[in-house]
Amino acid sequence: MQANVQPLTLPLHGDDRGKLIALEALSELVPFEVKRVYYIFDTTPGTVRGNHAHKNLKQVLICISGACTIVCEMPDGTKSEIRLDWPNRGLLIEGLVWRQMKDFSKDAVLIVLASEHYDEADYIRDYNQFKKECAK
Ligand code: TYD
C-alpha cells in the first residue's frame, strides 16, 4: 500500500442555529470500510501521543472539539504537520507513515475511524524498525 496523507473535508450542515456533521454513508466519505472508532480526550498538557506506524491500518482522524497537530513522516523521510482545528477537517493516513499527535488543546476530542479492529501486531512502535521497513 502506497503511503498517503491527505486532508478530507466532511460535509457541513449549518444554519443560524449552528452546525451539524453527519457521519452517514461513510463509504462515500472515507475510502475504506470503518470497523472501529475510538477517541482521544482529556489529554495531559504537553503530551505527544502516537509515535508509531501501522503495517496495514488505514485511518481518518477528525478533531471534533478543540484542536491538535498531527505530524506525519513518510517513507522517504519527508515530514508534514497538519493542524486539525475544525470538526469538518479530516486527515486520511494510510500506508507506512510514522505519526505523532501533539499540541492538544484542553478541550480536544480526536476521533479516529479505523479500517481494522485493534491489533497490536499491526503496530510498528520502534522508530528504527520503521526506518528499516521504509528502506525495504
Ligand atoms: P496507544 O496505542 O498508546 O495510543 P496512541 O496511539 O494514541 O498513543 O493506546 C493506548 C492504550 O489503548 C493501549 O493500551 C492500547 C489501547 N487501545 C485499545 O485497546 N484499542 C484501540 O483501538 C486503541 C487505539 C488502543
Side-chain angles (χ1 to χ4, degrees), residues 75-104:
D76 67 0
T78 55
K79 278 189 189 174
S80 56
E81 286 203 9
I82 302 99
R83 187 77 175 156
L84 295 179
D85 57 2
W86 196 239
N88 81 328
R89 292 194 69 192
L91 187 70
L92 168 69
I93 304 179
E94 55 188 354
L96 203 57
V97 177
W98 187 263
R99 80 284 309 267
Q100 294 176 315
M101 293 90 90
K102 65 175 190 178
D103 297 339
F104 288 85

Side-chain angles (χ1 to χ4, degrees), residues 36-38 40 48-52 54 59 99 101 104 110 112 114 116-120 123 125:
R36 173 168 56 112
V37 178
Y38 63 91
I40 293 168
V48 179
R49 297 195 63 123
N51 287 308
H52 62 253
H54 284 283
Q59 294 178 310
R99 80 284 309 267
M101 293 90 90
F104 288 85
L110 179 67
V112 182
E116 303 297 337
H117 295 284
Y118 178 73
D119 177 11
E120 188 57 38
Y123 281 74
R125 292 193 185 270

